[in-house]
Amino acid sequence: MWALVWLLLSSLAFAQVPSNEYLRADSAQFQVFFKQEDAGTYRALWGSLYAGVRHLETTLGIPLTDTVTFIITPSRVEWRRVTGGIPDWAQGISNPYYRIAILKSPRFGDPMRPFYVTAIHELVHLLLRSGKPDAFIPRWLDEGLAQTLSGESLNLRTNLISQAVLSGRVHNFYQIERVMQMRASEASLAYAESITAVDLLLKNYGWDGVRRYVEALRDGLDPDKAFIRAFGIHIGEFEGQWFEYLRENYRFSMFRSLEFSLGFIFLFALALAGLFAWLRRRKILKKWEEEEQTGIIGGTTEDYYSSDDEY
């Protein structure tokens, strides 16, 4: 999949953009291209990158040895032109081989996802391959670490995992590799699954274990051999543990969510209203039956009799 991304980004139309269309800021580690209307966003990005990079280097045990480039695209049209067909649901995309990340301006990006979070997310992708751009990092690990280290929350996506577990639609690690080919809802699930896999990895082995695994991958080992070196088990065994982890922790999470609770309360209230309406109708029908039997008309009683009954 990375080969496809590299191919798309290696032919960036940005390379043909006249220099006067974008402003540019440079330092030893970062280079940022932006339009004047995104000057405020650029300043926020610059601060986020410098505030975050030291923490990321320490956590992952990888120094940022390259100067990396960030491009803030000012519009959806420019985003599509520069990225060459990356799905619209993406808020950013990175290519470690060319040390470049492309971001949507918050003026048209997803308002539910803070811009600085996306920036740090993409910086994690670049840092994982800093100095070794050809290193293969499995997508579940790559995306899981990027979300974890950028502070992205799983809270709003637990329902997705719960539904997938209950319906047997959980992606395996191989399927997660194809996330960039997925539609938005399926991709959202794959990203959520990735962060839970990294959660389990950290629970079992801590950051020291994660650093050992990443180091083995950066040394060129395939994911299974790297996993054996770092943890002493096959990656398939860990994947099985992860499936069980999802069943134990997320199978019924949708039933504990606020959204489900509100939905249940609404349905209960609706059923209660229906019951009251049925009881009221039943009471009215019973009253009508009694009126017919006793001859109550307009609030007075008239006894019905036949002339044959007269003596």
Side-chain angles (χ1 to χ4, degrees), residues 54-125:
R54 298 293 172 259
H55 171 68
L56 297 180
E57 289 177 322
T58 301
T59 303
L60 293 172
I62 304 170
L64 183 62
T65 58
D66 314 308
T67 299
V68 295
T69 298
F70 283 79
I71 302 170
I72 304 173
T73 55
S75 66
R76 183 166 279 104
V77 171
E78 182 72 352
W79 161 264
R80 290 171 178 168
R81 186 180 73 83
V82 170
T83 60
I86 295 300
D88 263 352
W89 53 254
Q91 298 302 301
I93 189 73
S94 59
N95 185 327
Y97 191 83
Y98 291 97
R99 302 181 299 281
I100 189 170
I102 304 170
L103 308 173
K104 286 180 176 178
S105 166
R107 291 181 298 105
F108 75 96
D110 184 354
M112 299 301 293
R113 182 166 175 171
F115 178 79
Y116 72 90
V117 170
T118 302
I120 297 300
H121 180 116
E122 300 306 331
L123 180 58
V124 172
H125 291 320

Side-chain angles (χ1 to χ4, degrees), residues 8-185:
L8 289 172
L9 293 179
S10 64
S11 58
L12 285 177
F14 178 78
Q16 302 170 10
V17 173
S19 60
N20 62 355
E21 288 194 15
Y22 276 82
L23 301 175
R24 173 175 167 176
D26 292 277
S27 72
Q29 289 186 303
F30 302 111
Q31 180 181 77
V32 180
F33 288 89
F34 60 98
K35 292 289 187 72
Q36 180 60 50
E37 54 266 40
D38 286 312
T41 299
Y42 144 70
R43 286 189 288 271
L45 171 62
W46 198 261
S48 296
L49 294 176
Y50 272 98
V53 67
R54 298 293 172 259
H55 171 68
L56 297 180
E57 289 177 322
T58 301
T59 303
L60 293 172
I62 304 170
L64 183 62
T65 58
D66 314 308
T67 299
V68 295
T69 298
F70 283 79
I71 302 170
I72 304 173
T73 55
S75 66
R76 183 166 279 104
V77 171
E78 182 72 352
W79 161 264
R80 290 171 178 168
R81 186 180 73 83
V82 170
T83 60
I86 295 300
D88 263 352
W89 53 254
Q91 298 302 301
I93 189 73
S94 59
N95 185 327
Y97 191 83
Y98 291 97
R99 302 181 299 281
I100 189 170
I102 304 170
L103 308 173
K104 286 180 176 178
S105 166
R107 291 181 298 105
F108 75 96
D110 184 354
M112 299 301 293
R113 182 166 175 171
F115 178 79
Y116 72 90
V117 170
T118 302
I120 297 300
H121 180 116
E122 300 306 331
L123 180 58
V124 172
H125 291 320
L126 297 174
L127 185 58
L128 284 169
R129 298 168 183 80
S130 176
K132 298 189 177 181
D134 291 321
F136 175 74
I137 311 293
R139 177 71 72 171
W140 67 267
L141 179 67
D142 201 1
E143 297 298 350
L145 285 173
Q147 291 174 90
T148 299
L149 290 170
S150 63
E152 295 175 56
S153 173
L154 185 63
N155 292 338
L156 297 178
R157 295 176 286 170
T158 54
N159 283 359
L160 284 176
I161 300 176
S162 180
Q163 292 167 11
V165 172
L166 289 171
S167 62
R169 295 186 297 104
V170 175
H171 297 101
N172 57 37
F173 289 164
Y174 176 77
Q175 291 170 321
I176 292 175
E177 286 295 325
R178 306 189 339 264
V179 67
M180 296 304 293
Q181 302 170 28
M182 297 177 182
R183 61 183 184 274
S185 59

